[in-house]
């Protein structure tokens, strides 16, 4: 459930998307002001509504809509859909013309070029990469990446939005994977290769890293939490070799926790 607001949101926030990041961001923002969340289909709208209601005491502040034009009233529009470049470009091309003149457009991409997505929006001077982390309500960091054309007001407003949401913004270079994923995924995939080479169980590897290195979650459990399809996409985007075992599990639609099986079996509450 959400906490007592730390600050009133100065932006009218619009979110395009209905997945974990979109709903998590909406739930956090609802503690600070009004939010409009656009979801593509009736089913996705129903799921988003249920997710926000579950996660947020101020869920009534989140209006879930099916008409993209309703985002036109927002002063800060966040694209938060699947990490697929074609899908993001298509949506940003639709959002750009409907956004108000002084509105900022953001993307929650974790691995794609912010400069290229900014161009797709048609307004790179008012664009920002706003990489929040899942679960949004618990993770404090937001990586901010800006295209070369960005103006100073956009930079200031992006920092101010993060701070109003009680997040810690850090400006990072527009490189594939930014900082966290660029450093994290070679480590995660290294754990997969160690398992491939040794046959060591997932739980043993994860216990070594949680108990021996003080990590809050082991690497294989973390891959399951992120989603193996997402992990594969990030690896490909940042130029890190994706282990064969990850590709095999993705091909089997064993994507981790969200599908009930990955490196662990979640079907009976295991893992």
């Amino acid at each position: 459930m959400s906490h007592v607001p730390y600050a009133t949101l100065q932006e009218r926030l619009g979110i395009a998307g209905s997945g974990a990041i979109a709903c998590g961001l909406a739930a956090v923002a609802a503690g600070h002001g009004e939010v409009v969340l656009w979801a593509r289909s009736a089913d996705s709208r129903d799921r988003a509504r249920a997710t926000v209601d579950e996660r947020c005491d101020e869920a009534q502040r989140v209006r879930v809509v099916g008409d993209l034009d309703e985002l036109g009233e927002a002063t800060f529009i966040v694209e938060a859909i699947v990490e697929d470049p074609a899908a993001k470009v298509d949506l940003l091309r639709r959002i750009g013309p409907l956004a108000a003149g002084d509105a900022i457009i953001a993307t929650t991409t974790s691995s794609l070029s912010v400069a290229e997505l900014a161009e797709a929006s048609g307004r790179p001077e008012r664009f920002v990469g706003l990489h929040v982390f899942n679960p949004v309500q618990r993770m404090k960091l937001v990586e901010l990446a800006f295209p070369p054309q960005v103006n100073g007001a956009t930079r200031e407003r992006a920092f101010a939005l993060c701070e109003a949401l009680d997040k810690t913004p850090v400006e990072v270079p527009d490189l594939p994977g930014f900082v966290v994923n660029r450093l994290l995924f070679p480590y995660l995939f290294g754990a997969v290769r160690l398992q491939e080479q040794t046959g060591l169980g997932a739980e043993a590897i994860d216990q070594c890293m949680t108990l021996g290195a003080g990590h809050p979650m082991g690497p294989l459990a973390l891959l399951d939490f992120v989603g193996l399809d997402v992990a594969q996409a990030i690896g490909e985007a940042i130029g890190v070799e994706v282990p064969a075992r990850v590709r095999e599990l993705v091909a089997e639609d064993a994507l981790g926790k969200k599908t009930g099986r990955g490196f662990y079996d979640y079907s009976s509450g295991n893992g």
Side-chain angles (χ1 to χ4, degrees), residues 114-234:
V114 171
E116 292 178 8
L117 295 176
E119 290 292 345
S121 77
R123 44 200 301 154
E125 72 284 355
R126 294 183 179 275
F127 195 91
V128 56
L130 188 88
H131 181 210
V132 296
F133 292 80
N134 193 31
V136 183
Q137 287 162 284
R138 292 209 302 268
M139 302 295 280
K140 298 284 286 185
L141 177 67
V142 179
E143 291 181 313
L144 295 179
F146 298 96
Q149 305 95 323
V150 73
N151 61 37
T154 297
R155 181 178 269 105
E156 291 172 7
R157 285 169 62 187
F159 273 90
L161 175 70
C162 295
E163 289 162 0
L165 297 178
D166 191 39
K167 301 299 182 185
T168 301
V170 176
E171 185 170 346
V172 297
D174 183 17
L175 296 171
F178 306 130
V179 172
V180 172
N181 285 345
R182 198 174 183 87
L183 298 178
L184 177 63
F185 275 84
Y187 154 69
L188 298 181
F189 290 161
V192 180
R193 292 192 184 91
L194 178 65
Q195 186 183 46
E196 290 174 335
Q197 294 163 4
T198 64
L200 198 59
E203 186 174 0
I205 292 173
D206 284 349
Q207 283 183 329
C208 286
M209 297 310 297
T210 55
L211 302 180
H215 291 193
M217 184 180 289
L220 301 179
L222 181 54
L223 282 168
D224 275 357
F225 181 79
V226 169
L228 300 184
D229 55 336
V230 175
Q232 178 177 309
I234 292 173

Side-chain angles (χ1 to χ4, degrees), residues 53-73:
D53 288 348
E54 178 184 352
R55 296 182 182 179
C56 179
D57 286 333
E58 299 85 5
Q60 74 279 0
R61 294 181 180 173
V62 179
R63 186 160 57 93
V64 179
V65 301
D67 183 353
L68 191 66
D69 287 347
E70 296 206 45
L71 295 181
E73 297 180 1

Side-chain angles (χ1 to χ4, degrees), residues 21-76:
I21 293 295
C23 291
L25 184 58
V28 169
H32 307 263
E34 303 294 325
V35 183
V36 176
L37 184 147
W38 170 82
R40 188 182 306 272
S41 68
D43 285 347
S44 60
R45 290 193 292 275
D46 290 344
R47 287 194 299 270
R49 180 77 270 167
T51 300
V52 172
D53 288 348
E54 178 184 352
R55 296 182 182 179
C56 179
D57 286 333
E58 299 85 5
Q60 74 279 0
R61 294 181 180 173
V62 179
R63 186 160 57 93
V64 179
V65 301
D67 183 353
L68 191 66
D69 287 347
E70 296 206 45
L71 295 181
E73 297 180 1
T75 62
F76 206 114

